[in-house]
Amino acid sequence: MPELPEVETVCRGLRPLLVGQRINQVELFRPNLRLPFPLNLAEVLEGQQIVAINRRAKYILILLERDDVLLMHLGMSGKVVVYPLRRNQRLPHDHALFILENGSEMAFNDARRFGLITLTTQTLLHQHPLLSSLGPEPLEEAFTADYLHSIFQGKTSPVKTALMDNHNVVGVGNIYACESLFVAGIAPGKPAGSLTKPECIRLVTAIREVLEAALIAGGSTLKDYVQAKGEAGYFQHQFQVYGREGEACYRCGTLIARIRQAGRSSFYCPHCQNNTRS
DNA sequence: CGGCGGTCCTGTCAGC
DNA sequence: TGCTGACAGGACCGCC
């Protein structure tokens, strides 16, 4: 269940458990996830100390003392759980274990196997093919209404699809695209290139608000999620439109609609997001 | 070249 | 209860 706020919270939860620890041993239970595991994965990691944990988009970056970086993505169903002691048996869909110096173990678990684990280096980080063409972080300063307005120029694709495109902005998945467009009062089907500057201002503000709120909600949930093996967070209780097809809009009472865009479900309020605001 | 659909997997749930 | 099909929070690839 990794959206950007959850990945960020996973990183925050992992930091006190992992930074300063040495990786003693790596165990792999299959040769690949979305990409093949590097053949030298264990060889590179074993014996190295973890010096920092960062995030870029939905990628978790575990920085090691000798310039190497363990790069992980949780895909749709991935989880990272740190167990304080070595377990006797692994859970279904545990694909990789990282045994730490203090006897704890980090398990990478992913039922659907859309996640990935690979290696890069801090030196080459920004040139890595998975990272090199990513757009700005939505919570950082480079993500402005001016930027969004300019990058949307000439785009005929629906604004909702454009928001989910990592080249434009990272970390906005299906849920947050829907929720942000509702908060901004913009219909998901509106062509990205037709957004006015005021709409871009509202949209950037809405994306920030929604992500920050989710970060707060995910924060307190995922703390023990990482340390133990908790289940879903509780941000879903704050959804305004996502998953609410046929239910009343909290703002106006109109029934929430669902359409399909680029193969994904989009939820919106036909009244509050009718494109007449500007 | 931009945009869309297909695809990688397994799990869950609604409906019959 | 058991089967079937739709659908799922991501992101790449290839085709038009």
Side-chain angles (χ1 to χ4, degrees), chain A residues 7-146:
Chain A
V7 177
E8 174 61 28
T9 309
V10 165
C11 288
R12 292 179 189 180
L14 290 176
R15 235 164 249 142
L17 300 175
L18 298 187
V19 172
Q21 285 297 313
R22 205 168 291 279
I23 298 175
N24 275 0
Q25 191 186 345
V26 177
E27 291 183 26
L28 304 174
F29 304 112
R30 51 176 303 113
N32 64 297
L33 286 167
R34 203 178 87 212
L35 297 177
F37 295 143
L39 293 176
N40 60 350
L41 182 67
E43 180 192 338
V44 166
L45 296 178
E46 285 173 1
Q48 284 212 65
Q49 193 176 41
I50 295 168
V51 296
I53 298 179
N54 295 334
R55 177 188 61 76
R56 173 70 173 115
K58 293 172 187 165
Y59 293 94
I60 299 167
L61 312 173
I62 298 185
L63 277 57
L64 298 146
E65 59 184 325
R66 291 198 299 268
D67 196 46
D68 297 293
V69 178
L70 174 59
L71 180 62
M72 303 195 296
H73 194 290
L74 301 177
M76 293 248 212
S77 54
K79 300 172 180 64
V80 176
V81 183
V82 175
Y83 298 90
L85 296 171
R86 283 214 67 172
R87 299 165 297 162
N88 293 324
Q89 65 183 64
R90 54 191 175 94
L91 293 174
H93 313 301
D94 277 352
H95 304 307
L97 294 183
F98 303 84
I99 314 301
L100 304 173
E101 199 171 23
N102 67 356
S104 64
E105 65 178 34
M106 176 173 74
F108 188 99
N109 183 288
D110 185 7
R112 234 172 134 183
R113 307 213 301 266
F114 286 175
L116 73 87
I117 298 175
T118 192
L119 287 174
T120 181
T121 62
Q122 293 170 61
T123 308
L124 296 173
L125 193 61
H126 302 296
Q127 291 132 62
H128 192 283
L130 293 170
L131 305 180
S132 61
S133 60
L134 293 175
E137 291 284 333
L139 296 179
E140 290 184 3
E141 288 191 5
F143 184 61
T144 63
D146 281 341

Side-chain angles (χ1 to χ4, degrees), chain A residues 152 158-161 163 175-190 195 202-203 206-207 210 241 251 261 266-268 272-273 277:
Chain A
F152 277 178
V159 58
K160 192 265 192 169
T161 307
L163 280 182
I175 288 177
Y176 295 127
C178 293
E179 293 292 310
S180 301
L181 286 166
F182 172 79
V183 171
I186 299 167
K190 182 161 191 178
L195 261 67
R202 291 209 310 271
L203 188 50
I207 289 168
V210 169
V241 290
R251 189 183 284 166
Q261 297 179 295
S266 298
F267 300 86
Y268 69 104
C272 295
Q273 297 170 259
R277 288 168 59 182

